[in-house]
Every structure is written in C-alpha cells, then in structure tokens.
Amino acid sequence: MHFTSLILTSLLTFLAPATALPSPEPSEIWQSPYNGALIAPAQDEAIIFGAEFAFEYSISDWCEPGYAPFTVYLTEGVTPPVCANVTADGALADGAFAFSFGKFVVARFGLPQQGVPPPPSLVMPTVEELLVAATTDAKYYLSVVEEFDSCPGHIPVEYGLVSVPISLSIPV
Ligand SMILES: *[C@@H]1O[C@H](CO)[C@@H](O)[C@H](O)[C@H]1NC(C)=O
C-alpha cells in the first residue's frame, strides 16, 4: 500500500511539470506548518568527533502519517540550514551539510516497518569523514529534515526542518 503511494508520489512529482499548475511552481518546496522536535542531542551538547551520542527525534504527527521519514545531518556554519536549502528530493543541498547520518522511518499505527527505524544513538563522523574542512572555530548543528507525504492531500510532499546547535570537539 505504501509502495503504491510511493510510486504514485513519484509519478505525481514526475508529472508535475506537465500538469502546469498555475501555483505553486512545481519546483517550489512546501514548508510544513509544524515541525518535530530534537530531544537529543540537547542544545549545545558537547560531542566528540568520531564518538557515539544519544539521538532522539520526536516526529510531528500533525497530519497523522502512517510513516514518518526523516533525514539527519550535521551542518557546519554560524547559522542552521534554512528551508531554501532543502531540495525537491527532500535532501539538504550539496554544500549545505557536512555529513549525512542517513534516512530513518518511523512506522505508526502498528504498520510494518519500512526502511531503517531511527536508532537510539548515532556516531559522529571523524574530522576526516566530513564533507567540509573543519576549522577550530566552526559552529555545528544537528539538523533533521522530516518529510510529510500527501499532507495535506493536494500537496504531494511538505518538509519540516529543525536544528540544534552542538559543541563538537576533536578527541584529545
Ligand atoms: C542555503 O540557503 C541560503 C538562503 O537562501 C543561501 O544563502 C545559501 O547559499 C544556501 N546554501 C546552500 C549550500 O545551498
């Protein structure tokens, strides 16, 4: 059932340019009116490069999805990523993140699990694994892009973006 809706969603996305909806532009990224919440790591939590850290993300259930997919990123920069950095595939744009921890899916209402369930902890990349050069005074955020499929029904997909600043340090 989910598979079918996935195909449908892809098909709709694929067909979107041809259907010529006057508004919005097919390439427009819809921002979800509600966001989930990062419970762990906590704001400004100290984490060491290469070390395991507790992870907990509370999805937003405002549209009662059967499945709640989300992708977790480490971003580098003084400010967190913004909705404009989310691409049409629901990923952060190249250059907008330093590391991707991957995509996880919360199955709800007792539905069978699809994809990878969110783990209780993640492993921070080492400095060598970062896609951007680490500088001593760099600021980092842990960011989550949550995907809301067909929610509301006339919008194929909306995205929510939340970030918490974290304090990353090199192991001594
Ligand atoms: C992220 O979005 C901001 C605001 O639109 C933009 O200035 C910045 O260049 C974007 N970063 C990337 C890597 O796309």
Side-chain angles (χ1 to χ4, degrees):
M1 190 170 173
H2 181 62
F3 188 58
T4 312
S5 79
L6 255 182
I7 290 176
L8 259 179
T9 307
S10 321
L11 205 66
L12 284 174
T13 311
F14 179 69
L15 289 177
T19 54
L21 292 173
S23 171
E25 290 300 309
S27 60
E28 187 170 333
I29 303 301
W30 286 87
Q31 188 169 5
S32 166
Y34 302 98
N35 280 323
L38 262 166
I39 314 293
Q43 185 131 339
D44 298 320
E45 185 169 320
I47 303 174
I48 298 170
F49 281 110
E52 190 171 358
F53 62 98
F55 173 76
E56 186 181 351
Y57 175 74
S58 170
I59 61 147
S60 170
D61 59 0
W62 71 277
C63 62
E64 298 300 345
Y67 292 97
F70 61 86
T71 309
V72 185
Y73 296 95
L74 175 70
T75 69
E76 190 196 280
V78 182
T79 55
V82 292
C83 201
N85 300 134
V86 178
T87 68
D89 326 322
L92 282 185
D94 283 350
F97 63 94
F99 185 80
S100 172
F101 294 95
K103 188 170 192 168
F104 306 104
V105 182
V106 174
R108 304 178 71 236
F109 311 118
L111 287 169
Q113 179 65 42
Q114 307 254 354
V116 180
S121 65
L122 293 171
V123 176
M124 199 46 81
T126 62
V127 169
E128 292 75 26
E129 287 170 325
L130 295 184
L131 298 171
V132 295
T135 55
T136 44
D137 57 352
K139 300 272 181 280
Y140 294 93
Y141 289 84
L142 198 85
S143 301
V144 174
V145 179
E146 184 174 347
E147 188 177 315
F148 302 93
D149 293 309
S150 301
C151 172
H154 64 287
I155 299 175
V157 60
E158 291 190 346
Y159 297 106
L161 175 61
V162 294
S163 303
V164 290
I166 51 175
S167 172
L168 269 176
S169 57
I170 294 166
V172 285

